Amino acid sequence: MAAQTSKIDDVAATDFETLTSFVMKEHANQELVVFLNAMQTSLKFIVRAVRKAGIADLYGLAGTENSSGDDVKKLDLLSDEVMIDCLKKSGACALLVSEEQEEPIVVPEATRGSLCVAFDPLDGSSNIDCNVSTGTIFSVFQKTSEGEPCAADILKPGTDMVCAGYCMYGSAIDLCITFMNGVHRFTLDDSIGEFVYIGPLTFPAKNKTIYSCNEGNYQLWDANIQQSVELFKNPSDGSKPYSAR
């Protein structure tokens, strides 16, 4: 990873890997390449909106609720519109399912591909007003039904996914994608406007003692989950408690 990073920082380097070149090299799937080009374009638009939210008066509520019953922020709506527009125009998608929309969006036949995409365009948008990290989540399935795209094309086990990923909007813009065989990390280089390949995402050799959850939902958890979290905080062997994130 260090070698790859040094190439990115070297303005004379010409052989570093971008998201597009990586997918073209690793996957003989032209439609997937086109889809990911459209996806990364929408992510760059969302990055711009998140960074300029205060300047452009994009903080606050839009006065509506999404399909999950959550209050919708202005940035939620903008991010949703941008992502839907980019993916519909890509020619790679057949069906779009957004957390912000009540119903699935069937792409018009004239611009329809074979990929079915589920996404949350701006997860954690309640953090926007206090400048905490947000992100985009997506998963992709292959259309397998006959005729018009339908819910059955996307209501499938995770093992049937073509790819899935998330983009984190924080101090760096990190895009992590799995093609169902390992996870790969890309970081947006603002100077060239490209997601550059950093390397495979790996777990640390030594397990970390960190847990993360929304304890506001504690009463809704089953007994096993409650017991596990209590053990994280108060280990029965007297060892150091886990850190919460």
Side-chain angles (χ1 to χ4, degrees), residues 72-90:
V72 174
K73 301 271 187 171
K74 294 177 184 178
L75 267 174
D76 284 320
L77 288 181
L78 177 60
S79 301
D80 190 49
E81 290 172 3
V82 165
M83 187 158 288
I84 290 172
D85 185 63
C86 285
L87 297 183
K88 284 175 70 175
K89 290 177 178 177
S90 70

Side-chain angles (χ1 to χ4, degrees), residues 1-8:
M1 185 179 296
Q4 175 67 23
T5 304
S6 65
K7 287 183 181 181
I8 299 168

